[in-house]
Amino acid sequence: MLGRSTFSISPDGKTLAFFAVRSDGIQHIWVQRIGELEAKLLPDTETPPEAASPIWSPDSKTIAFHANGKLNKINERRHATGNLRRLHFRLQRFVEP
């Protein structure tokens, strides 16, 4: 993993979600249990370099993130099954006049 990293700790305090760039130059969300050495890449979570930190659901099971102008969510505990969902609205950029 290379490059900058923004992160978010799950509400239950057990897992860290963060963006990191792989050696191929693509940024993904990774998760790592607190106290463990190995991080796991979440599939289908390619994000642009300017993406904001991942956002946890209150139950610490789902991570929301912005990619390609859309808000997405993935169930962190079932990530191996490719459990990505796209939410049904587009995010707008607000520009001050």
Side-chain angles (χ1 to χ4, degrees):
M1 295 177 285
L2 305 170
R4 106 184 153 89
S5 181
T6 57
F7 66 92
S8 181
I9 298 174
S10 63
D12 65 10
K14 296 180 181 178
T15 309
L16 180 70
F18 59 95
F19 293 126
V21 178
R22 297 187 316 186
S23 59
D24 63 3
I26 299 173
Q27 178 172 274
H28 290 269
I29 295 177
W30 296 69
V31 291
Q32 184 170 356
R33 301 271 185 239
I34 303 297
E36 293 184 9
L37 298 176
E38 186 177 329
K40 296 178 181 152
L41 181 142
L42 296 182
D44 302 319
T45 59
E46 298 87 4
T47 58
E50 69 278 1
S53 296
I55 304 164
W56 286 94
S57 63
D59 64 4
S60 300
K61 293 180 181 177
T62 303
I63 300 169
F65 63 99
H66 178 254
N68 300 320
K70 296 180 182 177
L71 189 61
N72 303 280
K73 69 178 183 175
I74 189 165
N75 185 312
E76 184 271 328
R77 299 179 192 222
R78 293 186 297 197
H79 63 270
T81 62
N83 199 26
L84 179 71
R85 302 275 188 253
R86 302 220 189 277
L87 302 182
H88 297 283
F89 60 89
R90 288 187 147 289
L91 295 178
Q92 299 292 323
R93 287 189 185 233
F94 295 98
V95 179
E96 292 186 40

